[in-house]
Structure formats: C-alpha cells, structure tokens
Amino acid sequence: MRTAIVAAMHEELAAVLALMPDEARQSAAGRDFWVGHLHGREVVAVLCRIGKVAAATTAAVLAERFQVDRLVFTGVAGGLAAGVHVGDVVLADSFLQHDLDASPLFPKYEVPLYGSSRFATDRELTCRLESAARIALPGVAVHRGLVVSGDRFVATTSESRALQAALPQALAVEMEGAAIAQVCHDYGLPFAAVRTISDRADDDAHTDFARFVSEVASRHSAAIVRALLAQP
Ligand code: ADE
C-alpha cells in the first residue's frame, strides 16, 4: 500500500517531510517527489503547487509513474458556509469547480462529457482521514461536505457572498481539490482531502491566510497525516 501525500504549499510539505526518516528525491514533470516511509508505511510526498492544472499534473504523475494506491491531499481553504470558522477542519465528501461554466452547451458547473459537476471522494479513506483529524486535533471542529475549487484566491466579501448564494452547500473554497478528484476518478484511485480553514474568503482573507499558514496549517497537516498512517 503506497500512499501519496500531496500538499499545495512549502510549509505543509516540510512538516510532512520532517516525519519521514528516509525520503529520497525523484524528479518528474518539474517536481520533486519524495519517496520513503512514514510510520513504516510507503509514502510519496509532493508539493503540487497552486491551482487546478498544477494539481492535475501532480495527480496524474502519482498515478502513472509512482503507482500510488491512494492519494491524500492536505492543505488550507477559505471558509464559506456560516458555521465554518478559521481553525476548523473540513473533510471533502465531494468537489466541484466553481469557475467552470460551459453553458449553454452544458449546465453550469458540469464537467463537459462527464455528465456531472461533482466528483466524490473515497468514502472509506475519507472516514479514516476524519478519524485521524479528530484524534490528531482534539477540540477542533470538524465538518464534512462539499468543497469547491477554482483558479482564484477568493479575497473579497462580495465574491465570497456570491459563491455562498450560488452554491449554498459549499463548506469551503480552495484551488486544487476538484482537479485532483477528477484525475483520481479517471484512474480509479481512492482520494481524500482535508483542509484547515485559514480565512473566511473575505476582505481579510489575505492577511488571515498568511498568518495562519505559517503558524498553524503545517502543524495541522503533519499531525493529521501522522495519525492517518498510524492507523492499522
Ligand atoms: N485557500 C485558502 N484560502 C483560500 C481562499 N480564500 N480562496 C481560495 N483558496 C484558498
């Protein structure tokens, strides 16, 4: 069982690599893939960089070249739904691209020729990741539901409100998950994603995000990944 751990930012990857005693670098597609062990389990850790295309490339290389058996994404997101606060944790049960619109040819948000706008994560892996998050971060609120992705950092209250109105089920917004979900769907690869809320995707998002990533997000990611790989 080989697990891919994908992070979007340097701080998060560094915290995961600090838990790996034997990582060896392999380069592909302009990225460094770190192959080794964590808690005695085979792991490939990688920085996917930011945005849907970067995330999709990374996921495809993990499936094709590294032959991983499951993929876990760990990172941060902006909170959208009313009860989702900075510091909370969100597990995605499905993803949607909020910036995809091929209407009138296809319904808004639908991925053309897939017949669907949402891609589900793997239920069993998501349950494992949720229990890992609850064990690793006692006292932290954990949510599970729809997460939306787009190639935009949402940093104004008006855009956040527009997203909430258009997609009232969305718990959080980020920039990679829906792309990875679609690639994993194509490869039949179990996928789960955990996001710590770094900001509320509003006018304060930029400052909240910067502070949060350096202070909290990387510790959260590493703790959750460690708890996941410690599971029997
Ligand atoms: N990731 C973390 N915060 C975000 C935001 N406000 N918009 C998009 N991606 C994010």
Side-chain angles (χ1 to χ4, degrees):
M1 167 70 74
R2 186 178 252 205
T3 304
I5 307 292
V6 181
M9 282 174 303
H10 284 287
E11 293 88 342
E12 290 159 343
L13 179 70
V16 170
L17 290 180
L19 302 174
M20 296 173 67
D22 60 346
E23 75 276 18
R25 186 175 54 152
Q26 290 185 34
S27 296
R31 288 157 170 73
D32 291 332
F33 293 80
W34 299 92
V35 181
H37 293 83
L38 205 161
H39 254 295
R41 312 272 173 138
E42 266 190 74
V43 160
V44 184
V46 61
L47 181 77
C48 74
R49 302 193 290 221
I50 293 168
K52 289 186 289 177
V53 176
T57 301
T58 307
V61 174
L62 285 165
E64 286 280 348
R65 184 176 296 207
F66 292 92
Q67 307 269 303
V68 297
D69 301 297
R70 57 184 190 169
L71 194 156
V72 173
F73 191 99
T74 165
V76 294
L80 285 181
V84 179
H85 305 290
V86 172
D88 291 1
V89 164
V90 172
L91 278 301
D93 66 13
S94 60
F95 280 102
L96 170 151
Q97 295 184 50
H98 68 76
D99 57 354
L100 178 56
D101 185 359
S103 61
L105 303 178
F106 298 91
K108 190 171 182 185
Y109 307 121
E110 185 169 308
V111 183
L113 309 183
Y114 281 77
S116 174
S117 57
R118 294 187 189 200
F119 287 84
T121 53
D122 184 76
R123 188 189 292 267
E124 192 197 324
L125 187 54
T126 301
C127 286
R128 286 177 172 276
L129 197 57
E130 179 174 346
S131 58
R134 289 186 188 280
I135 288 167
L137 306 169
V140 170
V142 176
H143 312 267
R144 188 157 156 176
L146 175 68
V147 175
V148 297
S149 312
D151 286 313
R152 258 201 322 266
F153 186 79
V154 180
T156 63
T157 301
S158 62
E159 189 177 355
S160 173
R161 288 210 179 116
L163 273 177
Q164 289 170 46
L167 296 161
Q169 288 180 314
L171 298 180
V173 59
E174 40 84 301
M175 302 178 69
E176 297 84 20
I180 299 186
Q182 188 174 329
V183 173
C184 288
H185 165 87
D186 289 347
Y187 281 99
L189 194 59
F191 167 54
V194 60
R195 295 281 192 171
T196 303
I197 299 302
S198 56
D199 57 83
R200 281 288 304 170
D202 57 13
D203 294 335
D204 297 324
H206 185 69
T207 37
D208 290 348
F209 175 84
R211 189 178 325 125
F212 195 86
V213 166
S214 58
E215 288 173 13
V216 185
S218 44
R219 275 190 287 119
H220 270 201
S221 291
I224 295 168
V225 166
R226 184 165 41 189
L228 175 74
L229 292 169
Q231 286 174 0

